[in-house]
């Protein structure tokens, strides 16, 4: 007989009592990923800085890099990058983001591919994140999903391109 381990689920309240670490709470399970590798972080910085450069003069909102807790229901996620529109910045008033950001970027690592493309995808869709970008750093492939009628639809799949109507940016990297 094969034995399986039953993992105890914890509540959001129990999670918030844990020491500050780079951990997430997804569907009641604590998830801790290894530190991202160089290529992952380099892509994150490039995208964030290009978006920031386009945002700094128009005050459309804020681009924030991980780690930043985003509370969606009973889940605590740490997207690689997130954007909050200027009129919604109050969702970050507690020092954490409580509610869905307008745009989320997840940069895929081998250890998080399933989580980012399925578990987090489903949560971002369920909680109404308007645009979700999945970035594959090895080949700079960007897949953009846009929310329509409560469901994500693939808007494009391009190499090194980020076009966001919500942020108001168009960048190549």
């Amino acid at each position: 007989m094969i034995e399986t381990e039953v993992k105890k689920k914890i509540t959001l309240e129990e999670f918030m009592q844990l020491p500050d670490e780079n951990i997430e709470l997804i569907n009641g399970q604590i998830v801790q990923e290894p530190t991202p590798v160089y290529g992952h972080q380099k892509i994150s910085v490039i995208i964030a800085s290009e978006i920031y450069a386009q945002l700094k003069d128009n005050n459309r909102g804020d681009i924030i890099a991980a780690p930043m807790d985003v509370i969606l229901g009973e889940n605590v996620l740490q997207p690689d990058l997130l954007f909050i529109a200027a009129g919604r910045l109050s969702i970050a008033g507690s020092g954490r983001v409580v509610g869905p950001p307008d745009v989320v970027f997840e940069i895929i690592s081998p250890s998080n591919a399933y989580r980012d493309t399925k578990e987090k995808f489903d949560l971002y869709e369920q909680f109404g994140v308007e645009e979700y970008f999945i970035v594959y750093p090895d080949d700079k492939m960007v897949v953009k999903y846009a929310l329509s009628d409560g469901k994500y639809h693939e808007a494009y799949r391009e190499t090194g391109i980020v076009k966001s109507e919500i942020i108001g940016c168009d960048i190549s990297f």
Side-chain angles (χ1 to χ4, degrees):
M1 176 189 281
I2 298 174
E3 293 185 34
T4 59
E5 179 184 342
V6 176
K7 293 183 179 181
K8 178 187 180 290
K9 290 190 173 192
I10 68 168
T11 66
L12 177 60
E13 184 176 308
E14 291 169 323
F15 181 83
M16 296 310 245
Q17 301 304 314
L18 296 174
D20 274 346
E21 293 184 23
N22 292 337
I23 57 176
E24 296 177 300
L25 179 64
I26 301 176
N27 299 320
Q29 299 293 318
I30 294 176
V31 177
Q32 184 169 20
E33 295 286 344
T35 302
V37 297
Y38 177 82
H40 177 284
Q41 293 302 87
K42 183 176 179 183
I43 291 288
S44 180
V45 167
I46 290 169
I47 292 171
S49 62
E50 290 287 331
I51 291 172
Y52 178 78
Q54 292 187 26
L55 286 174
K56 71 179 183 178
D57 294 329
N58 67 21
N59 198 30
R60 291 184 66 124
D62 286 342
I63 185 81
I64 306 295
M68 171 57 63
D69 287 345
V70 174
I71 301 171
L72 300 176
E74 291 291 312
N75 301 283
V76 180
L77 308 178
Q78 292 186 345
D80 291 309
L81 297 169
L82 63 97
F83 171 80
I84 304 169
R88 299 187 62 244
L89 288 172
S90 63
I91 68 172
S94 69
R96 293 182 165 95
V97 177
V98 180
D102 297 284
V103 180
V104 165
F105 292 82
E106 293 287 4
I107 301 166
I108 300 298
S109 295
S111 64
N112 70 7
Y114 175 79
R115 195 164 294 110
D116 287 349
T117 60
K118 177 59 179 149
E119 292 176 324
K120 287 184 171 184
F121 179 101
D122 291 346
L123 288 168
Y124 294 144
E125 180 180 64
Q126 175 187 347
F127 284 92
V129 174
E130 293 292 325
E131 292 178 338
Y132 180 32
F133 291 86
I134 298 175
V135 182
Y136 297 86
D138 290 343
D139 59 5
K140 297 184 179 180
M141 178 60 62
V142 177
V143 183
K144 175 188 174 180
Y145 294 93
L147 198 64
S148 176
D149 297 323
K151 291 288 184 195
Y152 278 139
H153 302 281
E154 186 175 315
Y156 70 78
R157 183 178 297 251
E158 296 281 342
T159 301
I161 303 289
V162 172
K163 295 178 187 174
S164 170
E165 288 74 28
I166 304 290
I167 298 173
C169 72
D170 188 348
I171 63 172
S172 298
F173 63 94

